[in-house]
Amino acid sequence: MHRPRCSTAGRTRPTAGPVRSLDEPVRFGERAFTEGRDPRVGGLAPYREGLVLRDLVPRPAVFPDPASRGVRLRRTVLALPAPDAELVGRELAAHLRPYADAVDGHRAARRGA
């Protein structure tokens, strides 16, 4: 069975306020996320060119047991300790493009084009 790669495709800053139930789920492929905060997108990787998080394991402290990383990655919201957030930010930076330059590839994939 093919398992999808869990990757980080963008850099966002959440708006102020707590995590809440969303009016409409945010969908990525077959997954639907029902909780979150409204993001401010600061960069986006081209479709399927994001940072593959499993390649960072076991460096982030949020994954104390590499075998259980999948369970943690499937959470809607995964809080990262500051050092982990800095690591992901550094590694992600090379993948990012301005939002306007990368968003069309994501939209086309969503439409099945």
Side-chain angles (χ1 to χ4, degrees):
M1 177 172 112
H2 171 71
R3 300 194 89 179
R5 300 179 329 156
C6 183
S7 64
T8 299
R11 175 175 286 154
T12 63
R13 298 270 184 234
T15 55
V19 171
R20 63 177 176 79
S21 293
L22 301 174
D23 295 333
E24 291 289 324
V26 174
R27 297 187 182 282
F28 291 99
E30 296 176 7
R31 302 273 328 264
F33 297 90
T34 58
E35 297 177 315
R37 292 192 248 181
D38 297 323
R40 291 188 186 116
V41 179
L44 187 64
Y47 183 67
R48 294 200 179 260
E49 294 182 29
L51 173 66
V52 179
L53 295 174
R54 76 167 177 242
D55 294 347
L56 297 180
V57 175
R59 293 187 299 177
V62 76
F63 304 122
D65 174 22
S68 68
R69 76 177 185 275
V71 172
R72 292 178 184 271
L73 289 172
R74 284 189 282 281
R75 292 181 183 168
T76 301
V77 177
L78 175 64
L80 296 176
D84 290 355
E86 291 169 13
L87 170 66
V88 170
R90 280 193 312 273
E91 297 289 332
L92 178 62
H95 299 267
L96 297 180
R97 306 291 178 272
Y99 178 82
D101 293 349
V103 71
D104 287 340
H106 291 269
R107 288 181 178 147
R110 185 174 177 192
R111 290 189 304 267

